[in-house]
Amino acid sequence: MKTRIGLAGVGVGVGLWGLWLLLGALEPPALVRLPIWLGGAVLADDFVLVPLTVGVGSLVARWSAGPDRHRTVGAVRTSLLYVGITSLIAVPLLLRQGKGVNPTVLPRDYLRDWLLLEATIIAGGVIGYFFTWRRSRASSGDIGGR
């Protein structure tokens, strides 16, 4: 119990320190916009990302109920997971590209690079599926005209 209280105290202390740094780093107009942005992020998550994720997951689960599709599910789910993660990371770069002066933004074509990354992930998923499919056929004796 003492460990929990100590960890809770450390957590509250670190949280207050972060709040102090936030209040010191932002100007009042930015502090007003911050809760609005956070509320928009919650709404986007609850009303866009979660239903989309549940819907795609439901479709994949329903599709995987067919015969011998259980091998495909791993490749599809993994590919969709990585496409989703990299897309969430890339969206701010894609939306804000070319707007304002930001020395940290490199002069690159982020849309092209993101599309190449997604194509690479999907190609990796397809290759992984075919390796799994080939291995399952080899272990069941279907290769070689038997």
Side-chain angles (χ1 to χ4, degrees), residues 106-141:
L106 299 174
R108 299 181 56 98
D109 186 359
Y110 285 105
L111 179 61
R112 183 202 65 210
D113 294 346
W114 173 71
L115 290 173
L116 286 171
L117 176 64
E118 302 308 321
T120 304
I121 291 170
I122 291 170
V126 170
I127 290 169
Y129 165 73
F130 280 116
F131 275 131
T132 305
W133 175 74
R134 180 113 169 122
R135 186 175 41 192
S136 70
R137 287 194 52 192
S139 65
S140 66

Side-chain angles (χ1 to χ4, degrees), residues 7-18:
L7 288 174
V10 169
V12 168
V14 169
L16 289 173
W17 180 52

Side-chain angles (χ1 to χ4, degrees), residues 92-102 105-108 110:
L93 292 173
L94 296 173
L95 293 178
R96 301 288 293 178
Q97 185 175 3
K99 296 181 181 174
V101 177
N102 185 352
V105 177
L106 299 174
R108 299 181 56 98
Y110 285 105

Side-chain angles (χ1 to χ4, degrees), residues 1 4-6 8-10 19 30 42 55 64 66 69 73 83 85 91 96 98 107 110-111 126 129 133 139 141 146:
M1 185 68 174
R4 285 186 179 183
I5 292 172
V10 169
L19 180 63
V42 169
S64 68
R69 289 191 180 152
V73 174
V83 164
I85 290 170
V91 163
R96 301 288 293 178
Y110 285 105
L111 179 61
V126 170
Y129 165 73
W133 175 74
S139 65
R146 295 182 191 184

